[in-house]
Amino acid sequence: MAIVKWKNPRLYDPWADLQNLQNEINDLFNYDRVPSSTGLFDRSVTPAIDFVEGENDYTVKCELPGLEQKDIDVSIASNVLTIKGSKEENKEEKKGKYYKKEIWSGSFQRTISLPATVDSSKISAELKDGLLTIILSRKEETKPKQISVSVK
Amino acid sequence: MDRKKEIENKKRRFPASTDIFQDEEAVVLTMEMPGVSKENLHIKVDKDLLIIHGERKADEDAGHYRIREIRQGDYYQEYTIDDTIDREKIEATISNGLVTLKLGVKESEKPRKITVQVK
């Protein structure tokens, strides 16, 4: 072995592994993402997303490391946002061995139902360092209105 | 108990998803670090210790998180490398949050072909 994972005893928290295991088991029970299967041998994968509901806009972040603009397809229909794409691993014939293989490849799709209609003319999507950020503006009529109370 | 608190107070660190591939020429590590730019990637070699640290700034978006799956914190992993790795032949590239780290194997360690002479 030319390379070995090293655990620094100063950094190594004996509780962390147990905590991670517990979280993973909890996630299994809270699993509400149904991976859509695309084919018999196509493993469907789901990149992690964040969806933040702000006062005037919604922000969607999606982790897509190693993908380029041409690999990603973002579309919106009424109030459903879809992020689609595919991540191909390089299929070169290589002579060697893998010590570890954790990176997935294949096609993915995430759909998000937006709580309200958005202004489809004001959508910005930016891909930077493998992180896709989509900002959608809410329509004027769906923004929460402040009602001033007058005291008599 | 104090130690546990100390760990909790530190910024969270976790290893990135990694592929490690070795052939005769080099050991190649591919790591997924979305959100890490060139400036925030620190790779250090200290004797036998290889430290890979991808910093991410913790940014809380104002508003209510309806879905939260992206982990907060830094990517951090340490490896021990042995003497077969040439310290002068280590190169790293990052593009679209995908880090490729190539550790070249020393010339003296590469398998050599011995040609058989027929007389």
Side-chain angles (χ1 to χ4, degrees):
Chain A
M1 293 287 275
I3 185 164
V4 182
K5 199 197 269 190
W6 191 72
K7 280 192 169 157
N8 185 339
R10 280 185 298 108
L11 290 173
Y12 179 57
D13 174 19
W15 299 104
D17 286 347
L18 274 173
Q19 194 73 49
N20 287 347
L21 182 66
Q22 190 174 16
N23 290 345
E24 274 176 36
I25 291 171
N26 287 344
D27 285 352
L28 278 178
F29 289 106
N30 304 338
Y31 197 71
D32 55 354
R33 288 200 258 157
V34 183
S36 55
S37 77
T38 42
L40 192 56
F41 299 107
D42 241 5
R43 203 163 54 92
S44 163
V45 282
T46 46
I49 58 168
D50 274 4
F51 179 47
V52 188
E53 200 176 334
E55 207 154 301
N56 304 325
D57 49 23
Y58 302 117
T59 310
V60 180
K61 282 187 182 169
C62 183
E63 292 194 327
L64 299 167
L67 268 79
E68 286 165 34
Q69 200 182 340
K70 62 175 172 51
D71 305 324
I72 305 167
D73 174 42
V74 181
S75 59
I76 188 158
S78 66
N79 61 346
V80 178
L81 177 77
T82 308
I83 304 168
K84 266 197 305 204
S86 72
K87 198 168 144 182
E88 295 306 322
E89 63 176 330
N90 50 351
K91 291 265 193 290
E92 320 166 25
E93 200 55 53
K94 286 192 288 192
K95 272 185 69 175
K97 61 168 187 243
Y98 275 99
Y99 283 144
K100 198 189 214 182
K101 203 155 180 4
E102 295 173 341
I103 296 178
W104 53 262
S105 59
S107 52
F108 62 88
Q109 177 172 343
R110 293 296 305 257
T111 34
I112 304 160
S113 307
L114 303 166
T117 5
V118 293
D119 195 339
S120 54
S121 61
K122 281 196 269 180
I123 297 176
S124 71
E126 187 193 46
L127 182 68
K128 187 179 175 288
D129 297 328
L131 201 65
L132 176 70
T133 309
I134 307 169
I135 297 169
L136 311 114
S137 306
R138 284 199 203 188
K139 278 204 173 141
E140 284 300 325
E141 65 265 25
T142 63
K143 283 181 191 168
K145 273 198 195 67
Q146 200 66 42
I147 297 160
S148 58
V149 179
S150 52
V151 182
K152 278 184 179 162
Chain B
M1 252 2 251
D2 285 348
R3 227 185 85 70
K4 200 160 183 246
K5 273 210 185 80
E6 190 187 308
I7 290 161
E8 276 169 8
N9 292 339
K10 255 210 323 262
K11 205 170 168 188
R12 295 198 58 174
R13 292 166 153 188
F14 46 88
S17 294
T18 311
D19 280 3
I20 304 177
F21 177 80
Q22 177 166 29
D23 59 9
E24 292 174 3
E25 297 292 319
V27 178
V28 183
L29 281 83
T30 313
M31 288 161 285
E32 292 194 326
M33 299 191 180
V36 175
S37 59
K38 183 172 163 282
E39 292 73 37
N40 298 334
L41 178 68
H42 313 290
I43 297 175
K44 270 198 308 206
V45 178
D46 180 10
K47 296 191 193 79
D48 303 355
L49 193 62
L50 169 70
I51 301 169
I52 303 152
H53 183 192
E55 271 186 272
R56 293 199 296 183
K57 53 177 194 293
D59 52 342
E60 280 283 319
D61 283 293
H64 165 64
Y65 275 86
R66 278 175 172 262
I67 303 173
R68 189 160 204 178
E69 296 165 358
I70 298 178
R71 286 178 86 178
Q72 291 282 318
D74 287 1
Y75 294 111
Y76 190 88
Q77 183 61 282
E78 291 174 344
Y79 291 98
T80 310
I81 50 179
D82 64 8
D83 291 342
T84 58
I85 303 292
D86 193 338
R87 302 290 187 273
E88 304 302 310
K89 283 202 291 187
I90 296 177
E91 48 193 61
T93 53
I94 182 165
S95 84
N96 298 331
L98 197 70
V99 181
T100 308
L101 178 63
K102 213 170 162 179
L103 311 165
V105 173
K106 276 184 188 163
E107 286 298 330
S108 57
E109 299 288 340
K110 285 182 189 170
R112 275 196 300 271
K113 255 196 134 69
I114 296 161
T115 48
V116 180
Q117 305 273 341
V118 182
K119 279 188 178 165

